Amino acid sequence: MFDRLEAVEARYEKLNELLSDPDIVSDTNKLREYSKEQSDIQETVEKYREYKEVKEQLTDAKAMLEEKLDAEMREMVKEEINELGDQMEELEERLHVLLLPKDPNDDKNVIMEIRGAAGGDEAALFAGDLYRMYSRFAEHQGWKIDVMDTNSTGVGGFKEIIFMINGKGAFSKLKFENGAHRVQRVPETESGGRIHTSTATVAVLPEAEEVEVDIHEKDIRVDTFASSGPGGQSVNTTMSAVRLTHLPTGTVVSIQDEKSQIKNKEKAMKVLRARVYDKFQQEAQAEYDQNRKQAVGTGDRSERIRTYNFPQNRVTDHRIGLTIQKLDQILTGKLDEVIDALIMEDQARKMEQAE
């Protein structure tokens, strides 16, 4: 581990030199590439330097015990040795985590797609609950939300809602939300008071830059049509809605949220780029997973990952066996306890694989 840390520190110093080089400063692409690389390893270097400093203090403190000290001073030195030893252990654990392979998408913005699945109107209402939950979580994080497209129902839910969350580290916290979410509750329309089970699916896609996924104009078919509201009735006489089809992959995106065809096409291109990028990543991950099981599932949309049980105020994440009796709080966006547990489980399994 320490050989790797020395190499990371040496690379950090080299990047400092490169970022001061006039040739690099004048090259926008190189400047961005090296700045990002330096930012990615900065915490590792800082923690390693802190570790070395604590280790040196610990060596000095132990040397003091070899000297002639009065009882009070000896007790103080022993206490300091214990504290420094605890600090070193904590820093070592953190350094182990920092050296784990990092997901290159972790710092990206995300495009989330929530769809009502099994359960009709109740599933659509649940999709609305999930959208509000993620929106409030994003607000707690200081992130910005931009709704890309909605297909609402007359009862106040969503057949589908697509939105973007802009914020550093958004993907790192939300990537484990991919999958089928199940709700168990008594619908407001149910006179008999029976508990119904419905589902909604969540897809979390990292925003893809143009340089990351090569999409040619000749490979895209563009169709325009009049936007429609709940039930399919036309709500706009102009052809403002846009449907993009990526012919090589068969990926289709329809956006009708804006009144402007240009704005709808811009949003559709963002979603299309993210979906095509995600498709290529899923294919690469599936090939990798033939030999090694992925730590915590982030890919299979059909995988049932979580149950929200209203009568018991309970949320259960099936992947890690986590059950929390705080459904009411979680629906207000207080997702940290669940997300932190998923991240810790993922890190623990990666550490096992590394060892």
Side-chain angles (χ1 to χ4, degrees):
M1 181 178 85
F2 294 105
D3 288 343
R4 290 175 64 196
L5 287 166
E6 285 292 334
V8 171
E9 187 177 33
R11 179 59 180 167
Y12 186 82
E13 290 301 329
K14 180 63 178 176
L15 288 167
N16 273 338
E17 292 176 22
L18 289 169
L19 290 169
S20 302
D21 186 328
D23 291 337
I24 300 298
V25 173
S26 61
D27 185 332
T28 307
N29 290 333
K30 284 288 185 187
L31 184 64
R32 181 171 62 244
E33 178 189 336
Y34 290 147
S35 296
K36 184 181 184 310
E37 186 183 352
Q38 188 189 53
S39 173
D40 287 345
I41 63 175
Q42 184 171 345
E43 186 185 355
T44 306
V45 172
E46 287 174 352
K47 290 296 178 188
Y48 181 46
R49 288 174 175 171
E50 187 181 343
Y51 174 87
K52 288 193 290 187
E53 189 178 323
V54 171
K55 186 179 180 181
E56 189 177 333
Q57 291 173 13
L58 183 58
T59 301
D60 292 344
K62 286 180 177 178
M64 284 183 68
L65 282 182
E66 303 298 320
E67 301 172 9
K68 290 184 177 180
L69 303 171
D70 60 42
E72 186 179 349
M73 179 59 77
R74 183 172 292 277
E75 199 56 41
M76 285 175 63
V77 172
K78 283 182 178 178
E79 192 174 320
E80 184 182 2
I81 288 172
N82 288 335
E83 288 176 2
L84 290 169
D86 290 343
Q87 280 185 52
M88 277 189 67
E89 280 185 22
E90 288 175 13
L91 287 166
E92 273 191 45
E93 285 181 18
R94 182 62 186 151
L95 287 167
H96 273 293
V97 171
L98 289 169
L99 284 175
L100 290 174
K102 190 179 179 189
D103 187 332
N105 295 317
D106 273 354
D107 289 335
K108 290 184 178 180
N109 301 325
V110 299
I111 291 173
M112 295 191 78
E113 304 180 2
I114 303 176
R115 295 178 179 85
D121 285 345
E122 179 61 16
L125 286 169
F126 180 47
D129 291 336
L130 290 175
Y131 166 66
R132 284 181 287 276
M133 177 181 77
Y134 292 125
S135 298
R136 287 163 183 164
F137 176 71
E139 287 167 8
H140 297 332
Q141 303 296 314
W143 298 336
K144 183 187 170 190
I145 301 160
D146 179 22
V147 175
M148 315 282 282
D149 197 41
T150 60
N151 184 353
S152 57
T153 64
V155 294
F158 296 106
K159 290 179 183 175
E160 176 185 57
I161 180 165
I162 302 172
F163 56 102
M164 187 168 183
I165 296 180
N166 295 276
K168 185 174 173 61
F171 186 76
S172 70
K173 292 196 175 231
L174 292 169
K175 63 184 175 182
F176 299 118
E177 297 304 299
N178 259 330
H181 295 239
R182 180 175 70 170
V183 63
Q184 295 173 325
R185 64 183 172 190
V186 179
E188 291 179 13
T189 54
E190 177 59 57
S191 57
R194 292 178 301 160
I195 295 175
H196 281 224
T197 298
S198 307
T199 57
T201 60
V202 176
V204 184
L205 314 178
E207 183 188 18
E209 303 290 339
E210 287 185 43
V211 293
E212 291 175 309
V213 55
D214 201 10
I215 296 180
H216 300 288
E217 285 289 334
K218 65 181 177 62
D219 291 333
I220 301 174
R221 187 177 73 233
V222 182
D223 299 305
T224 59
F225 53 98
S227 59
S228 60
Q233 73 270 25
S234 177
V235 295
N236 194 339
T237 54
T238 62
M239 307 293 278
S240 61
V242 174
R243 182 188 300 111
L244 301 183
T245 304
H246 185 240
L247 300 174
T249 62
T251 306
V252 180
V253 176
S254 297
I255 297 289
Q256 60 174 22
D257 210 49
E258 300 282 352
K259 292 180 181 178
S260 158
Q261 186 184 115
I262 294 172
K263 287 183 178 178
N264 280 331
K265 188 177 179 184
E266 284 175 2
K267 286 186 173 183
M269 271 304 300
K270 279 190 177 183
V271 177
L272 181 69
R273 196 177 293 120
R275 285 187 186 172
V276 172
Y277 179 68
D278 182 64
K279 180 180 174 63
F280 292 150
Q281 282 203 314
Q282 295 298 327
E283 288 172 357
Q285 187 66 50
E287 188 176 333
Y288 175 81
D289 283 346
Q290 283 180 352
N291 298 319
R292 176 176 284 179
K293 178 67 179 167
Q294 192 176 5
V296 176
T298 60
D300 189 353
R301 309 280 188 262
S302 65
E303 179 190 8
R304 191 189 74 200
I305 64 166
R306 195 175 296 149
T307 295
Y308 304 73
N309 185 292
F310 275 71
Q312 297 175 18
N313 195 37
R314 168 174 58 81
V315 172
T316 299
D317 195 288
H318 305 290
R319 294 164 294 179
I320 58 175
L322 175 71
T323 295
I324 303 174
Q325 307 288 149
K326 300 177 183 175
L327 172 59
D328 52 342
Q329 295 178 37
I330 284 169
L331 287 176
T332 64
K334 294 178 181 176
L335 272 167
D336 299 88
E337 191 173 345
V338 179
I339 286 172
D340 289 348
L342 287 162
I343 291 172
M344 285 178 67
E345 178 73 11
D346 185 52
Q347 289 174 347
R349 294 195 190 183
K350 283 178 179 174
M351 285 177 75
E352 283 178 18
Q353 289 178 359
E355 289 168 4

